[in-house]
Short mmCIF file of all heavy atoms in Angstrom, two decimals:
data_model
loop_
_atom_site.label_atom_id
_atom_site.label_comp_id
_atom_site.label_asym_id
_atom_site.label_seq_id
_atom_site.Cartn_x
_atom_site.Cartn_y
_atom_site.Cartn_z
N ALA A 1 104.80 130.82 81.50
CA ALA A 1 105.15 129.40 81.55
C ALA A 1 105.50 128.94 82.95
O ALA A 1 105.41 127.76 83.24
CB ALA A 1 106.29 129.14 80.59
N ASN A 2 105.89 129.88 83.81
CA ASN A 2 106.25 129.53 85.22
C ASN A 2 105.14 129.81 86.17
O ASN A 2 105.34 129.75 87.40
CB ASN A 2 107.48 130.33 85.60
CG ASN A 2 108.77 129.94 84.87
OD1 ASN A 2 108.93 128.77 84.57
ND2 ASN A 2 109.56 130.90 84.52
N GLY A 3 103.97 130.12 85.66
CA GLY A 3 102.80 130.39 86.52
C GLY A 3 102.30 131.79 86.34
O GLY A 3 103.03 132.69 85.94
N LEU A 4 101.01 132.03 86.65
CA LEU A 4 100.42 133.32 86.54
C LEU A 4 101.02 134.22 87.63
O LEU A 4 101.52 133.82 88.66
CB LEU A 4 98.97 133.23 86.67
CG LEU A 4 98.21 132.41 85.63
CD1 LEU A 4 96.70 132.62 85.73
CD2 LEU A 4 98.67 132.72 84.22
N ALA A 5 100.95 135.58 87.34
CA ALA A 5 101.44 136.57 88.23
C ALA A 5 102.93 136.45 88.49
O ALA A 5 103.43 136.93 89.51
CB ALA A 5 100.69 136.59 89.54
N ASN A 6 103.64 135.82 87.60
CA ASN A 6 105.00 135.38 87.88
C ASN A 6 105.98 135.80 86.74
O ASN A 6 106.94 135.07 86.46
CB ASN A 6 105.05 133.85 88.07
CG ASN A 6 106.29 133.42 88.80
OD1 ASN A 6 106.87 134.20 89.57
ND2 ASN A 6 106.74 132.23 88.66
N SER A 7 105.76 136.92 86.16
CA SER A 7 106.61 137.35 85.05
C SER A 7 108.02 137.66 85.51
O SER A 7 108.96 137.64 84.74
CB SER A 7 106.03 138.61 84.35
OG SER A 7 105.87 139.66 85.26
N THR A 8 108.22 137.95 86.82
CA THR A 8 109.52 138.24 87.37
C THR A 8 110.05 137.18 88.30
O THR A 8 110.94 137.43 89.11
CB THR A 8 109.55 139.62 88.06
OG1 THR A 8 108.48 139.68 89.01
CG2 THR A 8 109.33 140.73 87.08
N ASP A 9 109.48 135.97 88.23
CA ASP A 9 109.93 134.81 89.01
C ASP A 9 109.92 135.08 90.49
O ASP A 9 110.82 134.78 91.25
CB ASP A 9 111.35 134.46 88.56
CG ASP A 9 111.79 133.06 89.11
OD1 ASP A 9 110.89 132.20 89.37
OD2 ASP A 9 113.01 132.87 89.28
N ILE A 10 108.82 135.70 90.99
CA ILE A 10 108.64 135.97 92.40
C ILE A 10 107.80 134.92 93.09
O ILE A 10 108.03 134.52 94.27
CB ILE A 10 107.96 137.36 92.58
CG1 ILE A 10 108.90 138.47 92.11
CG2 ILE A 10 107.57 137.57 94.04
CD1 ILE A 10 110.13 138.67 92.91
N VAL A 11 106.84 134.36 92.42
CA VAL A 11 105.81 133.44 93.03
C VAL A 11 106.50 132.24 93.60
O VAL A 11 107.32 131.56 92.93
CB VAL A 11 104.76 133.06 92.03
CG1 VAL A 11 103.84 131.99 92.58
CG2 VAL A 11 103.91 134.27 91.60
N GLY A 12 106.22 131.95 94.89
CA GLY A 12 106.79 130.79 95.55
C GLY A 12 108.01 131.16 96.39
O GLY A 12 108.38 130.43 97.31
N ARG A 13 108.65 132.31 96.03
CA ARG A 13 109.93 132.67 96.73
C ARG A 13 109.61 133.51 97.99
O ARG A 13 108.49 133.89 98.25
CB ARG A 13 110.79 133.44 95.80
CG ARG A 13 111.26 132.65 94.60
CD ARG A 13 112.25 133.47 93.76
NE ARG A 13 112.74 132.74 92.65
CZ ARG A 13 113.83 131.89 92.62
NH1 ARG A 13 114.44 131.67 93.73
NH2 ARG A 13 114.21 131.25 91.50
N HIS A 14 110.68 133.71 98.79
CA HIS A 14 110.61 134.52 100.04
C HIS A 14 109.63 133.86 101.06
O HIS A 14 109.00 134.54 101.80
CB HIS A 14 110.21 135.93 99.73
CG HIS A 14 111.03 136.57 98.66
ND1 HIS A 14 110.61 136.75 97.43
CD2 HIS A 14 112.30 137.08 98.73
CE1 HIS A 14 111.59 137.35 96.68
NE2 HIS A 14 112.63 137.54 97.48
N TYR A 15 109.58 132.51 101.03
CA TYR A 15 108.74 131.80 102.04
C TYR A 15 109.31 132.01 103.42
O TYR A 15 110.48 131.92 103.68
CB TYR A 15 108.72 130.31 101.68
CG TYR A 15 108.04 129.44 102.68
CD1 TYR A 15 106.66 129.18 102.55
CD2 TYR A 15 108.75 128.81 103.70
CE1 TYR A 15 106.01 128.35 103.45
CE2 TYR A 15 108.14 127.98 104.62
CZ TYR A 15 106.73 127.75 104.51
OH TYR A 15 106.13 126.93 105.42
N MET A 16 108.39 132.29 104.38
CA MET A 16 108.75 132.53 105.78
C MET A 16 107.82 131.81 106.70
O MET A 16 106.63 131.57 106.31
CB MET A 16 108.82 134.00 106.12
CG MET A 16 109.80 134.82 105.31
SD MET A 16 109.46 136.65 105.44
CE MET A 16 108.02 136.83 104.43
N THR A 17 108.23 131.45 107.90
CA THR A 17 107.33 130.83 108.86
C THR A 17 107.76 131.03 110.27
O THR A 17 107.32 130.31 111.18
CB THR A 17 107.25 129.29 108.55
OG1 THR A 17 106.27 128.72 109.38
CG2 THR A 17 108.60 128.59 108.82
N HIS A 18 108.56 132.08 110.55
CA HIS A 18 109.05 132.42 111.93
C HIS A 18 110.05 131.41 112.42
O HIS A 18 110.05 130.25 112.05
CB HIS A 18 107.86 132.56 112.89
CG HIS A 18 107.01 133.71 112.68
ND1 HIS A 18 105.63 133.67 112.78
CD2 HIS A 18 107.29 135.00 112.33
CE1 HIS A 18 105.08 134.81 112.57
NE2 HIS A 18 106.09 135.68 112.32
N ASN A 19 110.89 131.86 113.33
CA ASN A 19 111.68 131.02 114.19
C ASN A 19 110.92 130.87 115.51
O ASN A 19 110.67 131.83 116.16
CB ASN A 19 113.08 131.62 114.45
CG ASN A 19 113.89 131.68 113.12
OD1 ASN A 19 113.91 130.73 112.37
ND2 ASN A 19 114.53 132.81 112.86
N LEU A 20 110.59 129.63 115.79
CA LEU A 20 109.69 129.36 116.92
C LEU A 20 110.28 128.32 117.92
O LEU A 20 110.81 127.31 117.45
CB LEU A 20 108.34 128.82 116.45
CG LEU A 20 107.55 129.74 115.50
CD1 LEU A 20 106.49 128.89 114.76
CD2 LEU A 20 106.91 130.87 116.26
N THR A 21 110.17 128.61 119.24
CA THR A 21 110.61 127.63 120.20
C THR A 21 109.54 127.55 121.28
O THR A 21 109.02 128.59 121.80
CB THR A 21 111.92 128.06 120.83
OG1 THR A 21 112.98 128.03 119.85
CG2 THR A 21 112.32 127.10 122.01
N THR A 22 109.19 126.32 121.62
CA THR A 22 108.27 126.09 122.76
C THR A 22 109.05 125.73 123.99
O THR A 22 110.06 125.01 123.84
CB THR A 22 107.27 124.97 122.43
OG1 THR A 22 107.96 123.76 122.16
CG2 THR A 22 106.39 125.28 121.22
N MET A 23 108.66 126.19 125.15
CA MET A 23 109.36 125.96 126.39
C MET A 23 108.39 125.45 127.46
O MET A 23 107.26 125.95 127.55
CB MET A 23 110.07 127.20 126.90
CG MET A 23 111.17 127.71 126.01
SD MET A 23 112.02 129.09 126.83
CE MET A 23 113.13 129.56 125.45
N MET A 24 108.85 124.49 128.18
CA MET A 24 108.14 124.02 129.38
C MET A 24 109.02 124.40 130.62
O MET A 24 110.13 123.86 130.77
CB MET A 24 107.90 122.52 129.37
CG MET A 24 107.04 121.99 128.25
SD MET A 24 106.91 120.21 128.30
CE MET A 24 106.15 119.96 129.94
N ALA A 25 108.54 125.32 131.36
CA ALA A 25 109.19 125.74 132.64
C ALA A 25 108.57 124.90 133.71
O ALA A 25 107.43 125.06 134.07
CB ALA A 25 109.07 127.21 132.87
N VAL A 26 109.36 124.03 134.34
CA VAL A 26 108.83 123.04 135.32
C VAL A 26 109.36 123.38 136.71
O VAL A 26 110.55 123.66 136.93
CB VAL A 26 109.26 121.64 134.91
CG1 VAL A 26 108.69 120.60 135.84
CG2 VAL A 26 108.90 121.33 133.45
N SER A 27 108.42 123.27 137.66
CA SER A 27 108.76 123.39 139.07
C SER A 27 108.05 122.24 139.84
O SER A 27 107.33 121.44 139.25
CB SER A 27 108.33 124.77 139.62
OG SER A 27 106.90 124.81 139.76
N MET A 28 108.26 122.20 141.15
CA MET A 28 107.62 121.19 141.94
C MET A 28 106.12 121.47 142.15
O MET A 28 105.36 120.58 142.56
CB MET A 28 108.34 121.06 143.29
CG MET A 28 109.74 120.51 143.19
SD MET A 28 109.80 118.91 142.30
CE MET A 28 108.90 117.89 143.45
N ARG A 29 105.76 122.70 141.95
CA ARG A 29 104.37 123.13 142.21
C ARG A 29 103.50 122.80 140.96
O ARG A 29 103.85 123.05 139.81
CB ARG A 29 104.31 124.58 142.46
CG ARG A 29 102.88 125.08 142.86
CD ARG A 29 102.94 126.55 143.27
NE ARG A 29 101.68 127.07 143.65
CZ ARG A 29 101.37 128.26 144.15
NH1 ARG A 29 102.39 129.09 144.34
NH2 ARG A 29 100.18 128.64 144.43
N GLU A 30 102.31 122.25 141.21
CA GLU A 30 101.38 121.94 140.09
C GLU A 30 100.76 123.20 139.51
O GLU A 30 100.55 124.17 140.28
CB GLU A 30 100.31 120.94 140.55
CG GLU A 30 100.85 119.61 140.85
CD GLU A 30 99.72 118.51 141.05
OE1 GLU A 30 98.55 118.92 140.85
OE2 GLU A 30 100.07 117.36 141.39
#
């Protein structure tokens, strides 16, 4: 009733997507 392959309520859980940071290191030089 909660979805296929999901008899133990695992499907959809433990979602991850990394901790991500973008950086711009700026100097006077192009």
Side-chain angles (χ1 to χ4, degrees):
N2 293 322
L4 300 190
N6 200 25
S7 60
T8 52
D9 193 27
I10 294 293
V11 172
R13 295 186 180 274
H14 308 102
Y15 173 89
M16 298 167 284
T17 187
H18 290 139
N19 293 316
L20 300 164
T21 295
T22 60
M23 295 186 186
M24 295 178 62
V26 183
S27 70
M28 293 304 294
R29 184 174 181 175
E30 291 190 4

